[in-house]
């Protein structure tokens, strides 16, 4: 673990050095200038993110395509027969669990808005309150909530997936013993608002390309400066 303490300045330096190692991250290019102009106002992002839990991206895309092709709208998805819906999204894995999560989330949204399938009301809420509203839905954890709030609404909260969590711990951004929830809290506290999205993308890239669970390609300028964890000692 790096012995130097982390603060905003050092996080900005880490971001800049990861950009030098990889490339700048442009949220607008990836999610559009105004993603909230898309129909569904965040609901589609939430449903797709639930589908993506514990499964590869390609299977998420296939399940989402099948889901939105089979059902005309969110009302039809909420009202769908459980087994039929589970069969439709089976390629995403954990189909029964994800079916229940999606239908529960849609019901919660409809009840909150008085009938509309829209998460636009989250935009006006403070980030912590919006996150609390989403995570109160059984099956919606901190990562799913942060994906919706950060990717879609541009709110400053970092989604901590397995790569972000592993690399953050090896860099000492987050204590080795931290739970996923604690890692979310620590990174939201530490990372400057405008870097929550780009640093999320860059840490994933670093995890995928150089710092897997079992192997580390540790000879690069970023790791030489920021990591002296036991794994690569
Ligand atoms: S690649 Fe090696 S040096 Fe870099 S973060 Fe992973 S374990 Fe640490």
């Amino acid at each position: 673990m790096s012995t130097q303490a982390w603060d905003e300045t050092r996080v900005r330096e880490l971001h800049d050095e990861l950009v030098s190692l990889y490339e700048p991250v442009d949220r607008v290019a990836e999610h559009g200038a105004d993603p909230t102009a898309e129909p569904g106002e965040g609901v589609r992002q939430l449903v797709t993110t639930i589908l993506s839990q514990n499964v590869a991206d390609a299977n998420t895309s296939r399940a989402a395509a099948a889901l939105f092709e089979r059902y005309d709208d969110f009302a039809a998805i909420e009202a769908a027969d459980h087994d039929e819906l589970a069969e439709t999204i089976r390629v995403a894995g954990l189909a029964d669990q994800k079916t229940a999560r999606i239908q529960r989330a849609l019901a919660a949204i409809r009840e909150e808005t008085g009938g509309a399938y829209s998460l636009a009301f989250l935009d006006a809420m403070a980030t912590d309150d919006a996150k609390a509203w989403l995570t109160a839905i059984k099956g919606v954890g901190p990562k799913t909530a942060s994906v919706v709030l950060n990717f879609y609404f541009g709110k400053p909260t970092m989604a901590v997936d397995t790569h972000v969590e592993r690399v953050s711990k090896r860099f000492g951004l987050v204590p080795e013993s931290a739970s996923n929830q604690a890692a979310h809290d620590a990174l939201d506290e530490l990372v400057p608002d405008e870097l929550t999205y780009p640093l999320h993308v860059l840490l994933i890239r670093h995890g995928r390309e150089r710092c897997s669970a079992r192997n580390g390609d540790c000879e690069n300028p970023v790791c030489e400066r920021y990591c002296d964890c036991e794994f690569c000692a």
Side-chain angles (χ1 to χ4, degrees):
M1 192 84 44
S2 175
T3 49
Q4 191 172 339
W6 283 97
D7 57 18
E8 275 202 17
T9 303
R10 196 157 182 251
V11 172
R12 287 183 198 283
E13 290 168 0
L14 168 64
H15 165 266
D16 293 350
E17 293 191 34
L18 283 167
V19 166
S20 299
L21 192 58
Y22 300 108
E23 58 192 5
V25 176
D26 186 348
R27 176 176 165 269
V28 170
E30 291 181 29
H31 295 281
D34 182 10
T36 56
E38 291 171 12
E41 295 173 306
V43 182
R44 192 179 174 111
Q45 174 87 64
L46 175 60
V47 169
T48 305
T49 308
I50 291 171
L51 286 174
S52 76
Q53 293 168 342
N54 304 103
V55 73
D57 291 350
N59 287 355
T60 302
S61 301
R62 286 170 62 199
L67 177 68
F68 295 119
E69 194 178 306
R70 178 155 198 167
Y71 298 101
D72 289 340
D73 51 28
F74 295 119
I77 296 173
E78 190 198 341
D81 172 74
H82 175 97
D83 291 344
E84 181 193 277
L85 180 49
E87 198 48 47
T88 306
I89 63 166
R90 189 153 304 280
V91 68
L94 303 172
D96 286 322
Q97 225 176 70
K98 290 182 180 179
T99 293
R101 287 175 183 178
I102 288 168
Q103 292 187 316
R104 230 175 1 240
L106 292 174
I109 294 165
R110 178 180 47 71
E111 285 162 16
E112 177 74 23
T113 63
Y117 292 96
S118 166
L119 284 171
F121 65 90
L122 293 177
D123 208 19
M125 293 169 78
T127 304
D128 285 351
D129 294 341
K131 206 166 178 182
W133 190 90
L134 284 168
T135 54
I137 302 169
K138 191 173 166 219
V140 175
K143 189 189 92 174
T144 298
S146 289
V147 167
V148 173
L149 294 173
N150 188 238
F151 294 14
Y152 191 81
F153 290 105
K155 287 189 177 286
T157 176
M158 190 192 286
V160 182
D161 75 348
T162 181
H163 300 293
V164 173
E165 185 171 333
R166 182 178 63 257
V167 176
S168 294
K169 286 180 175 177
R170 288 178 177 168
F171 282 167
L173 283 157
V174 167
E176 185 61 42
S177 59
S179 65
N180 183 260
Q181 174 70 65
H184 275 89
D185 293 344
L187 289 169
D188 279 351
E189 179 77 28
L190 181 64
V191 176
D193 290 355
E194 75 280 12
L195 295 187
T196 47
Y197 181 76
L199 202 56
H200 160 86
V201 174
L202 289 162
L203 290 173
I204 288 177
R205 185 152 180 196
H206 194 67
R208 283 190 173 142
E209 294 189 18
R210 288 191 164 85
C211 186
S212 73
R214 290 176 178 228
N215 295 301
D217 176 6
C218 307
E219 289 188 21
N220 62 80
V222 173
C223 288
E224 276 159 25
R225 176 162 178 200
Y226 295 101
C227 182
D228 59 357
C229 73
E230 286 176 15
F231 181 83
C232 59

